[in-house]
Amino acid sequence: MSKIAIVTGGTRGIGETISTHLKDLGYTVIANYVSNDQAAQAFMDRTGIPVIKFDVSNFAATQKGISQIEVDFGPTDILINNAGITRDKTMHRMDVEQWDAVIQTNLASCFNTCKAVIENMRSRNFGRIVNIGSVNGQSGQYGQVNYAAAKSGIQGFTKALALESAAKGITVNAITPGYVDTDMVRALPEAILEKITDSIPVGRLGTPKDIARAAAFLVSDDAGFITGSTLSVNGGQHMY
């Protein structure tokens, strides 16, 4: 029986590629989304991967959504915390709603989802959790105090949960992507995009597949002795 994998924010961008890559490797994948019903339906029609709508920033909604997944498909073996948003503003222009939205969606969601799966993983002595951070959580970024704080917090969350879970056969790791060739990055002004690319030692943007391959390795049996680690996939842009 194939392992059950949940990918949050799993119908678009990096999340979509993680979802389809894991499916291609034989996992049973369920992709979470929150807002774009049309895109989610198109994703499901295109890939055959089932989707479920709930807001990972909301604790009660997340418990209900993941409980429904486990009723329909079985206990969660793999959790990829990929969902994230940006609300970029410099600190003196940022309002509390922009701060809260990013912290809740990008960081508190990791608590919400992990809380929903951890007891079943502990009872079965197996689990793989991968939290998607960002190079900007390691290096900081102008206009992103909310995003950088949330993504940096993911690393501390990952290490602490890894320590708590290792004896129960659960590994918890983080991936910190650099700038990846997605619609969001391609929407940047050409001059800024060129400057970003020039700052990457390998000379190109990352691809969603680069991140998906890293996630696939961390959830595999081959990575069973790796936990509490942060895998930087950024082309050498920030060596941490």
Side-chain angles (χ1 to χ4, degrees):
M1 184 175 178
S2 65
K3 291 185 174 69
I4 307 299
I6 298 173
V7 183
T8 70
T11 64
R12 302 175 70 187
I14 291 172
E16 175 179 359
T17 303
I18 293 174
S19 294
T20 56
H21 188 58
L22 291 180
K23 183 190 177 186
D24 289 344
L25 292 174
Y27 297 97
T28 297
V29 180
I30 301 91
N32 151 264
Y33 77 104
V34 68
S35 61
N36 194 326
D37 295 327
Q38 184 176 359
Q41 183 64 51
F43 165 85
M44 185 165 63
D45 293 342
R46 184 171 64 254
T47 66
I49 295 172
V51 299
I52 183 167
K53 183 178 183 178
F54 61 87
D55 183 356
V56 292
S57 74
N58 182 292
F59 180 81
T62 301
Q63 306 318 292
K64 181 178 179 181
I66 291 180
S67 177
Q68 188 61 55
I69 289 172
E70 296 197 333
V71 167
D72 292 342
F73 296 93
T76 305
D77 298 295
I78 295 161
L79 171 65
I80 311 288
N81 280 312
N82 169 75
I85 62 171
T86 57
R87 297 290 185 270
D88 294 351
K89 287 285 178 66
T90 53
M91 180 69 178
H92 70 286
R93 296 181 184 277
M94 184 177 294
D95 59 38
V96 69
E97 288 78 16
Q98 291 163 331
W99 169 266
D100 285 344
V102 171
I103 295 298
Q104 288 300 122
T105 300
N106 296 13
L107 179 57
S109 63
C110 292
F111 172 83
N112 296 341
T113 57
C114 289
K115 183 67 174 176
V117 303
I118 199 70
E119 289 304 327
N120 267 341
M121 286 183 174
R122 289 175 62 87
S123 70
R124 293 179 296 114
N125 291 298
F126 180 84
R128 295 284 188 268
I129 297 171
V130 177
N131 303 313
I132 307 298
S134 169
V135 65
N136 290 346
Q138 297 173 314
S139 64
Q141 180 59 266
Y142 185 93
Q144 286 195 327
V145 293
N146 49 6
Y147 186 82
K151 292 299 190 178
S152 179
I154 282 175
Q155 291 179 260
F157 176 91
T158 295
K159 292 176 187 300
L161 186 57
L163 286 171
E164 295 177 9
S165 305
K168 288 293 187 177
I170 303 165
T171 66
V172 189
N173 293 290
I175 296 172
T176 53
Y179 284 88
V180 175
D181 191 357
T182 61
D183 291 341
M184 182 174 68
V185 170
R186 284 291 174 187
L188 292 170
E190 186 175 343
I192 293 176
L193 188 58
E194 183 176 343
K195 185 176 180 181
I196 288 170
T197 305
D198 288 345
S199 73
I200 301 171
V202 303
R204 65 170 177 87
L205 297 174
T207 69
K209 199 77 165 184
D210 290 324
I211 313 306
R213 291 190 189 103
F217 169 66
L218 289 174
V219 304
S220 71
D221 291 341
D222 290 339
F225 198 58
I226 301 172
T227 195
S229 293
T230 298
L231 179 55
S232 295
V233 187
N234 61 32
Q237 185 180 15
H238 182 73
M239 300 183 185
Y240 177 75

